């Protein structure tokens, strides 16, 4: 029997967005006249903190060996707004394609009557921009529930965003599946009681995915994934 809903993580799961986020942060820092720069190695470490504002605060506290600006809350809020503008412009320009198999899974699951939802720590504008750029202007509407960013106080690996999404869906965890790309995301979904599948990417390969139902490189072989997940999907949407 099909699950009633599939709940997707966004960054690294729907699309390889982390590199875009990193570049957008660096542009926002540069525009603000800050000497901050996040290279790939540093960003891989900063991903241990979910949520953009939380990540910048962690960077200042743990990696910035200089005096923190006095108006830090305000500065971080401004940087996050500007970074989101830069990032969504990149997405709208077509710079963030969906990962292999994702568009097909969304279309075929929707055709099978499975509900679709998002559970992410990123801002809702980022999610809507990504879905619209890749799936057309009704793309975001295919998703009945968008659980994003600041909707809950505790970000992943806390289960809160998944719990919030399940409540909005009116479904129990046993009726749904989650798809994630990272150890922290897997921990959040599992703590909410969800059966969770993982697709890895350059930033998450090698993390600890114990507790996942199965781990895939990507969903390019969608039928193999569907069999593992017990999904009965129409041959095409
Ligand atoms: Mg992710």
């Amino acid at each position: 029997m099909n699950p009633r809903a599939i709940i997707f993580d966004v960054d690294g799961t729907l699309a390889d967005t982390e590199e875009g986020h990193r570049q957008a942060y660096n542009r926002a820092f540069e525009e603000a006249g800050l000497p901050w720069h996040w290279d790939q190695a540093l960003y891989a470490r900063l991903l241990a903190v979910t949520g953009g504002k939380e990540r910048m605060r962690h960077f200042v506290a743990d990696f910035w060996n200089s005096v923190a600006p006095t108006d830090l809350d305000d500065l971080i809020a401004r940087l996050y707004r500007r970074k989101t503008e830069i990032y969504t412009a990149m997405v709208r320009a077509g710079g963030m394609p969906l990962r292999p198999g994702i568009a097909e899974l969304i279309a075929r699951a929707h055709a099978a009557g499975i509900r679709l939802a998002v559970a992410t720590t990123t801002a809702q504008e980022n999610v809507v921009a990504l879905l619209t750029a890749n799936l057309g202007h009704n793309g975001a509407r295919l998703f009945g529930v968008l659980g994003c960013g600041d909707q809950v106080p505790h970000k992943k690996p806390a289960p809160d965003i998944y719990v919030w999404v399940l409540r909005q869906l009116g479904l129990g965890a046993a009726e749904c599946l989650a798809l994630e790309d990272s150890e922290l995301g897997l921990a959040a979904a599992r703590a909410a009681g969800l059966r969770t599948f993982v697709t890895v990417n350059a930033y998450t390969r090698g993390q600890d995915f114990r507790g996942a139902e199965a781990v895939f490189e990507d969903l390019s072989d969608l039928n193999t994934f569907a069999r593992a997940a017990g999904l009965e999907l129409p041959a095409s949407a």
Side-chain angles (χ1 to χ4, degrees):
M1 204 172 65
N2 272 332
R4 302 281 303 279
I6 303 175
I7 309 173
F8 295 84
D9 169 53
V10 174
D11 292 316
T13 300
L14 291 183
D16 284 316
T17 52
E18 301 298 9
E19 200 40 34
H21 282 297
R22 187 183 72 85
Q23 290 167 14
Y25 281 115
N26 284 330
R27 270 189 47 201
F29 299 156
E30 214 177 293
E31 283 182 16
L34 290 162
W36 304 352
H37 181 83
W38 293 355
D39 63 22
Q40 285 178 337
L42 174 59
Y43 194 62
R45 294 173 68 186
L46 292 172
L47 286 175
V49 177
T50 59
K53 294 187 288 287
E54 292 81 356
R55 193 168 295 155
M56 282 188 270
R57 188 173 304 284
H58 173 71
F59 165 73
V60 172
D62 283 21
F63 292 92
W64 185 243
N65 300 316
S66 188
V67 180
T70 47
D71 57 345
L72 192 59
D73 284 349
D74 182 54
L75 175 65
I76 283 178
R78 272 188 294 123
L79 287 169
Y80 191 70
R81 273 197 301 277
R82 181 61 190 134
K83 178 260 166 182
T84 299
E85 285 172 7
I86 295 166
Y87 176 81
T88 52
M90 288 164 75
V91 171
R92 279 195 295 271
M96 232 64 73
L98 298 181
R99 297 193 70 197
I102 290 292
E104 191 185 339
L105 172 59
I106 288 169
R108 288 170 65 187
H110 181 67
I114 300 170
R115 293 163 71 189
L116 304 169
V118 151
T120 178
T121 55
T122 201
Q124 182 156 330
E125 316 165 55
N126 294 344
V127 179
V128 172
L130 183 74
L131 296 173
T132 306
N134 286 289
L135 299 170
H137 63 272
N138 282 325
R141 260 176 250 152
L142 290 170
F143 290 76
V145 176
L146 297 178
C148 302
D150 296 326
Q151 262 150 354
V152 294
H154 302 294
K155 295 191 172 160
K156 298 176 186 179
D160 302 32
I161 193 67
Y162 278 105
V163 171
W164 186 90
V165 168
L166 287 169
R167 196 171 302 138
Q168 298 296 311
L169 287 167
L171 295 174
E175 302 175 285
C176 305
L177 288 186
L179 190 62
E180 276 283 356
D181 74 302
S182 71
E183 185 178 340
L184 294 176
L186 170 65
R190 293 271 300 139
L194 287 152
R195 290 204 299 139
T196 308
F197 290 81
V198 169
T199 55
V200 296
N201 58 58
Y203 278 110
T204 65
R205 193 172 288 112
Q207 291 183 351
D208 182 357
F209 294 122
R210 272 175 296 182
E213 299 295 314
V215 179
F216 294 88
E217 193 61 29
D218 58 39
L219 299 186
S220 47
D221 183 356
L222 192 57
N223 290 329
T224 299
F225 166 72
R227 260 194 309 279
L231 295 173
E232 285 176 29
L233 302 176
S236 64

